[in-house]
Amino acid sequence: MGECCHCGECCRWIVFGDARQLDPWALGYFVARGAKINKGLVLIPSECPHLKLNEFNPSESLCDIEDNKPGACKEYVGKRISGGRKYWVPDNCTMTKK
Ligand code: SF4
Ligand code: SF4
């Protein structure tokens, strides 16, 4: 398992659901509102208020509740399945690298 590069991408989107289960009308609405489709999932832009981004030095972007972050954040390790639950894995997530 690779190291987290602190890009913050996994903290910027909420997974709404499977794009195939939405009719085109609803999908078009979400996309018009800023959603993106990635790996078949509808992702809603929603940057976590606890993400402290350092745009000049991404490796210094941090979670300001690191020790108390939600279980879903703790379980994410750059894999689609972790802790028996499914996660969205950002394309650029360095934790997926060996
Ligand atoms: S709580 Fe921390 S790890 Fe979880 S989404 Fe927010 S910034 Fe990211
Ligand atoms: S997408 Fe991956 S590399 Fe980027 S902050 Fe999240 S866990 Fe770290």
Side-chain angles (χ1 to χ4, degrees):
M1 191 170 74
E3 294 284 318
C4 171
C5 71
H6 301 281
C7 67
E9 186 66 2
C10 57
C11 308
R12 291 191 192 121
W13 302 87
I14 288 178
V15 179
F16 182 77
D18 188 335
R20 291 170 303 183
Q21 292 181 336
L22 289 177
D23 69 46
W25 183 88
L27 202 51
Y29 173 75
F30 286 119
V31 170
R33 295 289 306 269
K36 71 175 181 179
I37 315 299
N38 184 262
K39 298 172 183 169
L41 299 172
V42 180
L43 305 173
I44 307 292
S46 179
E47 187 168 302
C48 179
H50 296 294
L51 176 63
K52 299 304 171 208
L53 267 183
N54 182 331
E55 292 177 15
F56 302 105
N57 188 352
S59 65
E60 290 183 4
S61 297
L62 296 168
C63 170
D64 72 1
I65 56 166
E66 181 63 29
D67 293 338
N68 297 303
K69 64 186 181 183
C73 304
K74 289 178 181 164
E75 272 187 7
Y76 177 72
V77 290
K79 292 184 178 171
R80 180 81 177 102
I81 306 286
S82 178
R85 297 180 179 85
K86 290 182 184 171
Y87 285 85
W88 166 63
V89 181
D91 295 333
N92 59 344
C93 180
T94 53
M95 288 188 91
T96 64
K97 315 286 186 255
K98 298 212 173 173

